[in-house]
């Protein structure tokens, strides 16, 4: 008996000695690769020795825990499972690196539901892949060689559970130690913040993925658990924060058509900017001086991962987009009280024009929930030549040209939106279509940006001319808005050359300004310096149309109202105001760009709490689908089944 036990013990040690060195090698390789990637590929703003330590150790616990799952597989399958887990974790890491290069953000579980868009994103993704990226998988190939090589002796015997438990215990101990240190440096890390950079910085890429999965499941469960009682808190907030319309502007565009023009990736810094002595956007520049145009130069985008869809979502509903993923994808079946639905009760016809597939960003579904009568997608644009197509659809000039013809057939008054694509990353354009040279920073994204922005500006001028020729301009309010940044902060070194100044945290936040123009014949225009964001656009437009928004659940306020509070909450929880900028964990003087004085911190933190509370309430409305429990007096709810965009829209117009 003793001999058998001794043989078993020796066999166990033999197995341990043959497999564990390979396992430990995999742990160390994944740990180091992840640490180096987090250090070099992501802008995590690591400060101080403690945060450096946390960034170094946070991949270890995850790597040790997840790779230890291979111990539970039998025979040679434990080697294959080790390689499989290692490969999947490497793919997750690399996917986030590529995603971060453009979005300055991390992949979340809801973004994985957006795979229907990936076919349209192929070209953009290709531009983000670099030759040196092969280094992310050299270790995978090396581990694969060791696993499959006959020269490396394998052991088919199995590990006992009591042998594996110490490894798992050690992995969990490292992870909890990591969390304790992180909580010490940033209390309530997992409960108070909206910024994913902090989670990755403190807990690491793999723990972030676990945290994100839990949070996404919690968000999904909110609709099931919600009831009408949840609306009371929301109504109390929106009622107490309502901003009454400005008497001077209320009804200034009453009865007019509404034409939204989507300024894809246009940032405010382009206004009046000259490249080599030449204006990049001469037409938009002229509108800033137009007597019938209101131009807002302190208007910020508030988008997150949904980007363009987030901007659309806010301007249609005055609700914030989601902190992760896109409401267009995951909340398309919600009940909404959108602008098209509100205006339908006022006799307005509504339509969207977009030169891409109807299914892109799930527009063909959520537009039904918004109450759009018509949707003109790529199928509505005919006789297109090779030079008429951009990566994401029809180029702006042919898009506007054909759209103008359709627009003339719509019954008035109408509410319409035009979504353009030419000025979209990676800013590729046939050089025969350009009328301005490239930038000279050496950064292709930045240098090409000026050419596509000029093309978009010229297309806008052409469309305005078409509207004037048809007579529609005289009876329309035209709203032009930038949807999100075009140049992310990953390109700040090049942007320092463009702006001829250092990109400080405050300057980087100022680059999140996007232009807002509201043109209406007979309305007094001018440059407006009010601080506002996309969440404020819907109530502003409604008040200009003479429709009071007091009875609706909206989280923005009229930019022209004397009661409008100039606190712009960004989707990640930061905020801007005329006096204070909140960026990450720090507060800055908005004018000097310097850290805030001690005596102003109390006010700054108070504003932070107000902004976060607004985000939380908006998320409750969207995640809980709370508008199904509340119908404002006089509002006719939308039934999405009443809408069908399958028939070509051009055939529907009588």
């Amino acid at each position: 008996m003793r001999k058998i036990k001794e043989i078993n013990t020796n066999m166990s040690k033999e197995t341990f000695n043959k497999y564990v060195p390979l396992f430990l090698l995999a742990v160390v390789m994944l740990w180091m690769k992840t640490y180096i990637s987090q250090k070099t590929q992501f802008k995590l703003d690591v400060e101080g020795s403690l945060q450096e330590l946390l960034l170094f150790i946070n991949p270890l616990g995850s790597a040790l825990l997840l790779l230890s799952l291979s111990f539970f597989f039998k025979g040679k399958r434990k080697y294959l499972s080790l390689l499989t887990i290692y490969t999947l974790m490497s793919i997750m890491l690399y996917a986030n690196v590529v995603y971060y290069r453009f979005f300055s953000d991390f992949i979340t579980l809801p973004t994985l539901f957006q795979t229907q868009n990936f076919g349209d994103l192929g070209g953009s993704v290709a531009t983000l892949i670099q030759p040196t990226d092969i280094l992310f998988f050299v270790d995978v190939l090396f581990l694969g060689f060791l696993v499959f090589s006959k020269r490396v002796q394998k052991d088919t015997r199995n590990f006992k559970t009591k042998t594996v438990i110490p490894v798992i215990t050690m992995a969990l101990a490292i992870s909890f130690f990591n969390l304790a240190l992180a909580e010490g440096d940033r209390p309530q890390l997992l409960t108070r913040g909206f910024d994913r950079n902090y989670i990755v910085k403190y807990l690491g890429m793999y723990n972030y993925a676990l945290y994100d999965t839990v949070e996404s499941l919690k968000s999904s469960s909110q609709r099931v658990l919600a009831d009408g009682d949840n609306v009371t808190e929301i109504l109390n907030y929106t009622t107490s924060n309502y901003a009454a319309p400005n008497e001077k502007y209320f009804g200034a565009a009453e009865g007019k058509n509404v034409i939204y023009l989507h300024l894809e990736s246009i940032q405010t810094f382009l206004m009046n900017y000259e490249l080599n002595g030449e204006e990049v956007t001469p037409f938009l520049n002229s509108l800033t001086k137009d007597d019938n145009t209101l131009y807002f130069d302190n208007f910020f985008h508030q988008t997150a991962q949904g980007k363009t869809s987030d901007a659309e979502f806010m301007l249609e509903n005055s609700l914030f987009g989601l902190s992760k993923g896109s409401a267009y994808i995951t909340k398309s079946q919600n009940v909404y009280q959108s602008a098209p639905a509100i205006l339908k009760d006022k006799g307005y016809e509504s339509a969207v024009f977009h030169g891409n597939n109807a299914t892109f960003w799930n527009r063909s579904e959520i537009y039904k929930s918004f109450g759009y009568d018509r949707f003109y997608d790529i199928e509505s644009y005919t006789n297109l030549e090779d030079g008429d197509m951009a990566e994401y659809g029809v180029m702006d000039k042919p898009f506007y040209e054909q759209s103008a013809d359709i627009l003339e057939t719509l019954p008035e008054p109408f509410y319409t939106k035009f979504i353009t694509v030419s000025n979209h990353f990676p800013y590729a354009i046939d050089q025969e279509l350009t009328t301005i040279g490239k930038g000279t920073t050496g950064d292709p994204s930045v240098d090409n940006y000026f050419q596509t922005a000029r093309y978009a500006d010229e297309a806008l001028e052409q469309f305005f001319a078409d509207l004037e020729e048809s007579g529609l301009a005289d009876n329309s309010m035209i709203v032009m808005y930038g949807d999100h940044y075009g140049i992310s902060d990953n390109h700040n070194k090049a942007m320092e050359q463009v702006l001829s100044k250092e990109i400080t945290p405050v300057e980087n936040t100022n680059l999140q300004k996007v232009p807002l123009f509201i043109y209406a014949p007979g309305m007094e225009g001018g440059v407006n310096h009010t601080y506002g964001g996309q969440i404020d656009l819907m109530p502003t437009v409604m008040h200009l149309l003479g429709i009071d928004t007091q009875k609706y659940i909206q989280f923005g306020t009229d930019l022209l109202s004397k009661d409008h509070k100039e606190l712009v909450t960004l989707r990640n929880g930061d905020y801007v105001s005329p006096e204070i900028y909140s960026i990450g964990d720090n507060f800055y003087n908005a004018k000097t760009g310097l850290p805030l004085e001690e005596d102003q911190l109390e006010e700054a933190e108070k504003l932070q709490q107000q902004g976060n509370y607004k985000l939380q309430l908006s998320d409750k409305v969207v995640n809980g689908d709370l508008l199904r429990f509340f119908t404002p007096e006089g509002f006719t709810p939308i039934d999405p089944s009443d809408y069908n965009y399958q028939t070509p829209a051009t055939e529907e117009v009588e």
Side-chain angles (χ1 to χ4, degrees):
M1 190 75 173
R2 183 183 299 174
K3 197 155 191 174
I4 293 174
K5 189 180 284 189
E6 190 176 319
I7 290 172
N8 286 336
T9 302
N10 290 335
M11 286 172 60
S12 178
K13 286 180 179 178
E14 201 174 325
T15 305
F16 184 88
N17 290 336
K18 287 180 180 177
Y19 180 74
V20 169
L22 183 66
F23 166 77
L24 292 177
L25 174 64
V27 169
V28 172
M29 287 196 302
L30 187 62
W31 175 19
M32 289 297 100
K33 177 170 72 173
T34 306
Y35 166 68
I36 293 169
S37 298
Q38 291 180 172
K39 180 75 173 175
T40 61
Q41 301 297 310
F42 307 134
K43 187 179 178 182
L44 299 178
D45 297 324
V46 177
E47 299 176 351
S49 56
L50 177 58
Q51 291 186 12
E52 288 284 0
L53 174 64
L54 286 168
L55 190 70
F56 178 70
I57 67 171
N58 63 41
L60 175 57
S62 304
L64 192 59
L65 179 63
L66 293 174
L67 292 177
S68 69
L69 296 177
S70 63
F71 285 111
F72 293 102
F73 288 81
K74 297 180 180 180
K76 288 187 177 181
R77 284 186 294 175
K78 59 177 169 284
Y79 290 90
L80 184 59
S81 64
L82 178 70
L83 177 61
T84 301
I85 296 169
Y86 192 97
T87 302
L88 290 174
M89 294 178 75
S90 296
I91 291 172
M92 178 194 296
L93 177 65
Y94 178 64
N96 274 280
V97 167
V98 174
Y99 189 84
Y100 194 90
R101 283 173 182 166
F102 178 66
F103 294 105
S104 295
D105 202 350
F106 302 96
I107 296 173
T108 63
L109 187 62
T111 60
L112 298 180
F113 290 102
Q114 296 162 198
T115 52
Q116 61 183 13
N117 296 324
F118 288 0
D120 298 84
L121 297 173
S124 291
V125 172
T127 65
L128 299 172
I129 297 175
Q130 302 170 1
T132 55
D133 288 351
I134 188 64
L135 296 175
F136 281 93
F137 297 100
V138 169
D139 54 325
V140 177
L141 297 174
F142 177 63
L143 184 62
F145 169 76
L146 295 179
V147 167
F148 291 110
S149 175
K150 294 181 180 180
R151 296 182 181 181
V152 178
Q153 190 177 4
K154 310 295 189 305
D155 199 305
T156 59
R157 285 167 290 189
N158 306 322
F159 281 95
K160 295 181 178 180
T161 303
K162 65 180 182 180
T163 308
V164 182
I165 287 177
V167 179
I168 295 176
T169 301
M170 180 181 296
L172 292 174
I174 293 171
S175 295
F176 282 119
F177 175 68
N178 180 179
L179 179 60
L181 288 178
E183 282 284 340
D185 194 57
R186 184 178 172 82
Q188 300 177 315
L189 171 67
L190 300 180
T191 58
R192 73 173 186 171
F194 296 92
D195 195 331
R196 284 174 283 279
N197 276 339
Y198 287 106
I199 306 298
V200 175
K201 176 169 68 173
Y202 284 105
L203 301 184
M205 175 58 62
Y206 310 115
N207 284 328
Y208 154 74
L210 176 62
Y211 164 80
D212 170 66
T213 301
V214 172
E215 288 297 301
S216 296
L217 293 175
K218 283 169 57 179
S219 172
S220 299
S221 68
Q222 287 185 36
R223 189 184 191 282
V224 178
L225 301 174
D227 58 38
D229 294 338
N230 299 115
V231 178
T232 303
E233 181 184 14
I234 309 297
L235 281 171
N236 289 339
Y237 176 85
T238 56
T239 300
S240 61
N241 286 275
Y242 164 74
N246 185 322
E247 292 183 5
K248 177 181 176 181
Y249 285 99
F250 187 69
E254 187 171 0
K256 291 185 182 294
N257 303 314
V258 178
I259 300 174
Y260 268 108
L261 301 181
H262 172 95
L263 307 180
E264 171 63 45
S265 300
I266 295 289
Q267 293 173 242
T268 298
F269 84 86
L270 282 173
M271 300 304 100
N272 298 308
Y273 180 82
E274 293 187 358
L275 180 66
N276 299 323
E278 191 174 355
E279 289 180 293
V280 177
T281 56
F283 178 66
L284 286 175
N285 294 346
S286 71
L287 289 179
T288 66
K289 307 173 185 67
D290 187 274
D291 292 338
N292 296 130
T293 302
L294 283 166
Y295 168 58
F296 295 81
D297 61 357
N298 285 313
F299 185 73
F300 289 79
H301 85 82
Q302 296 166 288
T303 67
Q305 290 184 326
K307 291 296 184 288
T308 293
S309 68
D310 283 354
E312 286 189 68
F313 189 74
M314 280 184 278
L315 72 89
E316 302 288 19
N317 301 286
S318 196
L319 297 171
F320 284 97
L322 300 176
S323 63
K324 57 189 76 172
S326 170
Y328 266 42
I329 305 294
T330 60
K331 307 298 178 184
S332 63
Q333 303 305 315
N334 277 15
V335 172
Y336 295 105
Q337 293 155 15
S338 304
I342 294 172
L343 291 174
K344 196 180 300 293
D345 290 329
K346 305 296 181 181
Y348 276 73
E349 186 86 4
S350 56
V352 181
F353 298 78
H354 183 38
N356 201 333
N357 299 321
T359 56
F360 191 49
W361 284 104
N362 204 34
R363 288 186 171 99
S364 58
E365 292 304 314
I366 200 165
Y367 284 165
K368 296 174 185 177
S369 297
F370 290 172
Y372 269 108
D373 297 307
R374 312 177 193 278
F375 182 14
Y376 300 91
D377 72 334
I378 184 65
E379 298 299 325
S380 301
Y381 297 86
T382 59
N383 301 318
L384 297 170
E385 300 176 359
D386 290 342
D388 292 338
M389 294 300 296
E391 186 173 336
Y392 294 91
V394 184
M395 292 285 285
D396 290 5
K397 289 182 180 180
F399 169 69
Y400 278 135
E401 183 179 2
Q402 293 196 33
S403 297
D405 293 337
I406 300 172
L407 192 64
E408 290 184 50
T409 69
L410 293 183
E412 300 183 57
F414 52 68
Y415 174 91
T416 56
K417 177 172 59 179
F418 295 79
I419 306 170
T420 58
V421 300
S422 293
N423 191 50
H424 194 293
F425 179 86
Y427 313 114
I429 187 171
D430 187 332
Q431 289 302 298
E432 292 183 2
L433 300 177
T434 63
T435 57
I436 192 172
K438 295 183 179 183
T440 56
T441 68
D443 184 323
S445 292
V446 175
D447 294 344
N448 296 342
Y449 180 66
F450 298 106
Q451 291 189 322
T452 51
R454 164 64 75 82
Y455 176 88
D457 184 74
E458 292 171 346
L460 278 170
E461 184 174 20
Q462 166 200 304
F463 188 55
F464 260 74
D466 290 340
L467 292 175
E468 290 174 358
E469 184 177 344
S470 67
L472 287 174
D474 295 333
N475 191 39
S476 298
M477 172 169 60
I478 304 174
V479 183
M480 291 153 281
Y481 69 100
D483 62 338
H484 53 74
Y485 63 77
I487 306 298
S488 73
D489 56 12
N490 290 325
H491 303 276
N492 276 353
K493 286 186 178 179
M495 286 303 296
E496 288 182 341
Q497 297 181 51
V498 170
L499 302 177
S500 299
K501 60 183 175 182
E502 180 186 1
I503 306 296
T504 64
V506 168
E507 288 298 335
N508 184 66
T509 302
N510 282 332
L511 282 173
Q512 308 315 306
K513 292 180 182 179
V514 293
L516 171 63
F517 300 86
I518 302 178
Y519 166 87
M523 180 184 71
E524 182 180 334
V527 179
N528 189 305
H529 303 302
T530 299
Y531 274 65
Q534 292 162 331
I535 199 77
D536 302 312
L537 193 46
M538 182 183 181
T540 304
V541 168
M542 287 296 162
H543 285 179
L544 285 167
L545 293 172
I547 300 171
D548 199 322
T549 60
Q550 186 170 15
K551 64 182 179 181
Y552 297 99
I553 289 178
Q554 299 179 355
F555 287 90
T557 56
D558 184 351
L559 292 165
L560 299 167
S561 171
K562 296 176 182 177
D563 300 326
H564 171 73
K565 296 177 182 177
E566 296 186 87
L567 174 64
V568 186
T569 302
L570 306 182
R571 182 61 259 199
N572 65 357
D574 292 348
Y575 71 80
V576 297
S577 72
E579 294 82 27
I580 301 171
Y581 278 25
S582 167
I583 306 170
D585 280 337
N586 303 308
F587 299 107
Y588 297 89
N589 184 300
K591 295 180 175 58
T592 66
L594 299 174
L596 215 57
E597 298 292 336
E598 190 73 28
D599 60 354
Q600 293 179 290
L601 290 180
E602 184 176 351
E603 174 64 17
E605 290 171 356
K606 181 181 177 182
L607 294 175
Q608 185 84 72
Q609 293 170 2
Q610 291 176 11
N612 285 346
Y613 185 55
K614 181 192 288 190
L615 288 173
Q616 289 164 5
L617 291 183
S618 178
D619 286 346
K620 284 184 178 181
V621 173
V622 179
N623 289 322
D625 192 12
L626 296 186
L627 293 182
R628 62 192 156 125
F629 301 119
F630 171 72
T631 301
E633 183 180 354
F635 174 77
T636 304
I638 292 297
D639 182 354
S641 65
D642 291 339
Y643 302 89
N644 177 19
Y645 305 134
Q646 298 304 313
T647 304
T650 48
E651 296 179 9
E652 294 179 2
V653 181
E654 298 179 358

